[in-house]
């Protein structure tokens, strides 16, 4: 692997998150409802992961499809500022870049997404030779990438044949059907990182503990994100609980993607699964200290002080 140019290659969606705070959970029509705060941050699971991994010093290239609009350019500029390689980015005039409107209500939130280009990127838009010049390949938001999804097994096989390990975070399936996942996609994955709700729904079980038993029989390494309860990991058939990093969250948007950041950071440095999950919990907790999934990583003073206070990622 010493001749690989990048640590991680990511193919996925990109958009901005527009976050309005303080709105009621039940919103009547034909009324002007006032938020008490607003943030515009880099969104999408794939772009958040690319940004945060690169901020931690991991070399990352990202392939994505962007429309002819200012929101897409703002999102790309955030990745450039984090030193993410954008050699795999393609542009289209067919539709605009997607956007997500988030309305947090304490621990829960409304999430409203216009998919835009995230639903249009296909295997034909990806330079597989360029992406294979990495040690590891990651895919997020499987069920939002509707044009790419039928070819994901072929994409994973191509990456693995080039010597890359493969990780996946499906995120939610809006149709709650999870088609083709357990029998077609997951057998090609080395690391799977769902949250506990997704894990339970895709396996038709009622708990993270039951779900990880099913998933651990398919994927060599599974990390189930359990929010304030930390994480569960299953490696070589052994399930472990990884304690959370206690924080008072300001915003949980992007915390799961930030867990993925820490987990892959540790995994790529040869840490044990438990140590990698500890890195994931640290990064997930850090993310909750600012709006959105990347703002805490953009705040270098916060990043440095938070990692130091929690023993640093190299000691996780």
């Amino acid at each position: 692997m010493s001749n690989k140019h990048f640590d991680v290659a990511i193919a996925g969606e990109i958009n901005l998150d527009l976050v309005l705070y303080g709105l009621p959970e039940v919103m009547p029509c034909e009324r002007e409802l006032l938020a008490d705060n607003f943030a515009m941050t880099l969104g999408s699971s794939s772009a958040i992961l690319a940004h945060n991994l690169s901020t931690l010093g991991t070399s990352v290239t990202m392939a994505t499809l962007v429309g002819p609009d200012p929101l897409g350019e703002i999102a790309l500029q955030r990745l450039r500022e984090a030193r993410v390689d954008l050699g795999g980015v393609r542009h289209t005039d067919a539709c605009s870049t997607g956007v997500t409107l988030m309305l947090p209500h304490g621990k829960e939130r409304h999430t409203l997404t216009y998919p835009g280009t995230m639903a249009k990127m296909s295997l034909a838009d990806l330079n597989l030779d360029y992406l294979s010049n990495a040690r590891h390949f990651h895919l997020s938001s499987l069920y939002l990438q509707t044009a790419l999804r039928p070819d994901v097994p072929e994409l994973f096989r191509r990456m693995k044949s080039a010597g890359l390990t493969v990780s996946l975070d499906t995120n939610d399936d809006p149709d709650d059907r999870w088609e083709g996942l357990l029998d077609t996609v997951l057998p090609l994955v080395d690391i799977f990182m769902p949250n506990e709700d997704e894990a339970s729904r895709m396996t038709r079980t009622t708990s993270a503990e039951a779900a990880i038993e099913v998933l651990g029989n398919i994927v060599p390494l599974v990390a189930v994100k359990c929010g304030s309860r930390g994480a569960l990991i299953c490696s070589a058939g052994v399930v472990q609980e990884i304690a959370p990093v206690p924080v008072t969250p300001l915003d949980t948007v992007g915390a799961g993607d930030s867990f993925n950041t820490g987990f892959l950071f540790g995994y790529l440095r040869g840490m044990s699964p438990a140590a990698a999950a500890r890195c994931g919990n640290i990064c997930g907790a850090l993310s909750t200290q600012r709006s959105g999934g990347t703002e805490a990583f953009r705040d270098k003073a916060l990043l440095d002080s938070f990692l130091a206070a929690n023993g640093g990622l190299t000691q996780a």
Side-chain angles (χ1 to χ4, degrees):
M1 288 295 194
S2 59
N3 62 339
K4 298 288 188 177
H5 189 70
F6 302 106
D7 293 319
V8 179
I10 298 170
E13 80 292 7
I14 188 170
N15 64 267
L16 292 181
D17 283 345
L18 309 181
V19 190
L20 281 79
Y21 299 92
L23 290 171
E25 291 188 49
V26 178
M27 293 175 284
C29 297
E30 302 300 333
R31 296 290 307 278
E32 184 164 3
L33 306 175
L34 302 181
D36 59 25
N37 203 355
F38 170 78
M40 181 175 71
T41 71
L42 180 63
S44 73
S45 183
S46 298
I48 290 171
L49 176 64
H51 176 282
N52 293 350
L53 269 174
S54 189
T55 299
L56 293 179
T58 303
S59 59
V60 180
T61 185
M62 181 172 175
T64 192
L65 189 65
V66 179
D69 53 87
L71 293 185
E73 181 52 40
I74 292 171
L76 288 178
Q77 183 56 33
R78 292 289 176 92
L79 292 179
R80 291 189 192 102
E81 291 170 0
R83 301 178 301 282
V84 175
D85 176 84
L86 300 178
V89 172
R90 298 290 180 267
H91 292 77
T92 180
D93 293 327
C95 63
S96 61
T97 309
V99 65
T100 293
L101 178 63
M102 289 195 172
L103 312 177
H105 311 291
K107 294 182 179 180
E108 298 182 337
R109 59 180 177 262
H110 284 98
T111 302
L112 313 173
T113 293
Y114 162 66
T117 54
M118 70 178 71
K120 301 297 184 183
M121 188 177 76
S122 69
L123 191 63
D125 293 306
L126 303 180
N127 183 334
L128 299 186
D129 290 335
Y130 193 82
L131 290 173
S132 65
N133 194 22
R135 298 167 53 204
H136 182 81
F137 178 79
H138 179 83
L139 184 78
S140 290
S141 300
L142 176 68
Y143 293 97
L144 295 182
Q145 300 197 66
T146 52
L148 180 62
R149 193 174 77 202
D151 293 316
V152 164
E154 175 61 19
L155 172 60
F156 284 179
R157 282 190 286 266
R158 291 283 297 273
M159 293 296 102
K160 291 175 76 71
S161 68
L164 285 73
T165 47
V166 171
S167 59
L168 173 68
D169 183 354
T170 60
N171 301 101
D172 190 30
D173 175 7
D175 296 327
D176 200 22
R177 297 171 68 178
W178 309 95
E179 289 184 335
L181 180 64
L182 299 185
D183 56 347
T184 304
V185 175
L186 286 188
L188 299 169
V189 172
D190 299 293
I191 306 171
F192 187 39
M193 297 179 287
N195 67 32
E196 59 182 328
D197 180 59
E198 294 157 355
S200 296
R201 286 190 286 119
M202 68 181 63
T203 58
R204 311 302 179 193
T205 57
T206 58
S207 69
E209 290 77 9
I212 203 169
E213 293 286 350
V214 175
L215 297 171
N217 287 322
I218 304 172
V219 183
L221 179 53
V222 181
V224 177
K225 295 165 282 194
C226 300
S228 61
R229 296 193 295 112
L232 287 177
I233 60 170
C234 182
S235 176
V238 178
V239 176
Q240 292 177 267
E241 296 182 13
I242 309 301
V245 175
V247 291
T248 301
L250 301 178
D251 185 352
T252 60
V253 171
D257 305 314
S258 298
F259 174 93
N260 296 351
T261 296
F263 192 95
L264 290 178
F265 177 92
Y267 172 81
L268 290 166
R269 282 155 181 77
M271 294 185 189
S272 69
R278 169 67 179 170
C279 289
N281 283 344
I282 292 172
C283 288
L286 165 65
S287 175
T288 69
Q289 301 305 288
R290 294 290 185 271
S291 297
T294 61
E295 295 305 304
F297 288 79
R298 296 180 73 212
D299 185 336
K300 190 175 187 308
L302 172 65
L303 174 64
D304 291 345
S305 63
F306 192 91
L307 294 184
N310 288 281
L313 298 181
T314 58
Q315 302 299 318

